[in-house]
């Protein structure tokens, strides 16, 4: 948690102060060299309205932002490029799992030491990153997974909460990793952990697949409380609660056929 960051990693400059923190503690900013060694990977599909702002907020502190535009028919790729991201494109829509794999492979090929996956729709908070990357930089763990259920900072709509809890139960049965939030798109991991990821489930079921692969790597992991913003925009275009069944089905089929 940001409150427990040691001062060695804390270097507050005036620009950092304006970045804000998601809780009431003082803003915590990672040293520049850690931020420079970090690549932020964003899978984006039809996010022209939000991607520019998301990339700009990240780029204010993190120079390496990679957006994988997954064959969006709108201006997602242009908006991301204008905001300063490195943009990779799938010419047809292949799904978030495939797009993340493209971005992770690219980041690793370009020497990233710390990798972060971040959503394109503005639901994640840049201020949560130090708490996720800090433990990696300090060598405490190789994997930090964001959770919206560790404390009360996320205000989750009622039905979404039920679906997410069901996903956690499902993941407890199918995977051995004990998590409080199985489908949070905000994760940070070291290069070592990244090299062990090979996502084969192209669509949303990759969220369970990545957890399995992390677990099987035997690397140390930790959950970190993060904020998820439920804006009108994200709720209108996000995954429908009913899509959860399809995700579970895809995941099981993926397991049975592998
Ligand atoms: N690359 C890619 N990204 C997608 C696709 N569908 C959704 N996303 C991205 O995945 C992230 C989470 O998707 P979203 O629909 O908001 O899921 P939710 O937050 O769980 O409701 C967002 O950044 C989306 O832009 C897709 O088909 N391809
Ligand atoms: Mg979303």
């Amino acid at each position: 948690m940001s409150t427990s960051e040691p001062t060695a990693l804390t270097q507050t400059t005036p620009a950092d102060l304006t970045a804000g923190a998601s809780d009431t503690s003082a803003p915590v900013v990672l040293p520049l060299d850690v931020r420079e060694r970090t690549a932020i990977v964003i899978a984006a599909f039809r996010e022209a309205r939000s991607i520019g702002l998301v990339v700009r907020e990240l780029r204010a502190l993190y120079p390496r932002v990679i957006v994988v535009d997954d064959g969006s028919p709108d201006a997602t790729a242009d908006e991301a490029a204008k905001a300063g991201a490195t943009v990779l494109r799938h010419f047809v829509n292949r799904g978030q799992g495939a797009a993340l794999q493209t971005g992770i492979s690219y980041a690793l090929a370009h020497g990233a030491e710390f990798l972060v996956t971040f959503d394109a729709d503005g639901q994640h908070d840049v201020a949560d990153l130090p708490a996720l990357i800090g433990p990696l930089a300090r060598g405490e763990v190789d994997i930090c997974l964001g959770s919206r259920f560790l404390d009360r900072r996320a205000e989750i709509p009622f039905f979404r909460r039920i679906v997410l809890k069901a996903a956690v139960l499902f993941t407890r049965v199918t995977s051995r990793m004990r998590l409080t939030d199985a489908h949070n798109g905000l994760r940070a991991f070291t290069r070592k952990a990244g090299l062990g990821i090979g996502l084969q489930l192209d669509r949303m079921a990759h969220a369970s697949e990545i957890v399995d692969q992390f677990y099987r790597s035997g690397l140390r992991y930790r959950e970190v409380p993060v904020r998820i913003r439920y804006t009108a925009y994200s709720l209108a275009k996000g995954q429908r609660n009913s899509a959860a069944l399809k995700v579970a089905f895809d995941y099981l089929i993926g397991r049975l056929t592998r």
Side-chain angles (χ1 to χ4, degrees), residues 142-171:
D142 279 288
I143 299 153
C144 282
L145 303 170
S147 172
R148 66 203 111 181
F149 294 116
L150 285 176
D151 66 11
R152 310 204 130 260
R153 70 183 74 187
E155 280 161 26
I156 308 166
F158 180 70
F159 281 112
R160 181 55 59 108
R161 183 178 288 270
I162 291 177
V163 168
L164 288 165
K165 288 283 184 192
V168 170
L169 286 179
F170 177 80
T171 312

Side-chain angles (χ1 to χ4, degrees), residues 22 125-133 153 186 224-228:
S22 64
D125 190 340
V126 180
D128 283 329
L129 293 187
L132 288 154
I133 302 167
R153 70 183 74 187
L186 187 51
V224 174
V226 299
R227 202 175 141 211
I228 302 283

Side-chain angles (χ1 to χ4, degrees), residues 1-206:
M1 254 196 286
S2 52
T3 45
S4 60
E5 293 280 329
T7 44
L9 281 174
T10 312
Q11 238 180 32
T12 308
T13 65
D16 297 328
L17 286 171
T18 56
S22 64
D23 57 17
T24 50
S25 59
V28 175
V29 173
L30 298 166
L32 182 60
D33 73 296
V34 173
R35 287 182 273 132
E36 283 176 344
R37 287 185 281 149
T38 300
I40 316 239
V41 175
I42 306 178
F45 182 58
R46 291 178 183 259
E47 302 282 13
R49 278 176 59 198
S50 60
I51 192 72
L53 187 59
V54 169
V55 170
R56 269 188 288 276
E57 273 189 18
L58 285 165
R59 289 253 312 150
L61 287 170
Y62 299 85
R64 299 164 78 168
V65 176
I66 300 161
V67 170
V68 185
D69 170 42
D70 201 19
S72 301
D74 65 5
T76 297
D78 289 347
E79 293 295 329
K82 261 197 270 167
T86 298
V87 180
L88 310 176
R89 291 195 84 168
H90 285 173
F91 285 94
V92 293
N93 179 250
R94 291 181 49 203
Q96 199 196 6
L100 281 180
Q101 186 61 58
T102 297
I104 290 169
S105 300
Y106 179 92
L108 292 170
H110 288 77
E113 286 176 50
F114 309 115
L115 292 88
V116 173
T117 63
F118 202 91
D119 281 359
D121 56 2
Q123 287 201 274
H124 294 157
D125 190 340
V126 180
D128 283 329
L129 293 187
L132 288 154
I133 302 167
L136 313 179
R138 294 193 294 272
E140 293 166 8
V141 291
D142 279 288
I143 299 153
C144 282
L145 303 170
S147 172
R148 66 203 111 181
F149 294 116
L150 285 176
D151 66 11
R152 310 204 130 260
R153 70 183 74 187
E155 280 161 26
I156 308 166
F158 180 70
F159 281 112
R160 181 55 59 108
R161 183 178 288 270
I162 291 177
V163 168
L164 288 165
K165 288 283 184 192
V168 170
L169 286 179
F170 177 80
T171 312
R172 291 240 165 127
V173 176
T174 57
S175 141
R176 281 153 299 180
M177 215 172 201
R178 291 281 168 268
L179 297 178
T180 60
D181 188 358
H183 290 90
N184 199 305
L186 187 51
R187 322 169 178 91
F189 44 95
T190 58
R191 176 174 188 83
K192 191 172 174 191
L195 288 168
I197 299 175
L199 298 176
Q200 306 203 332
L201 302 181
D202 283 350
R203 301 224 162 252
M204 288 300 179
H206 75 275

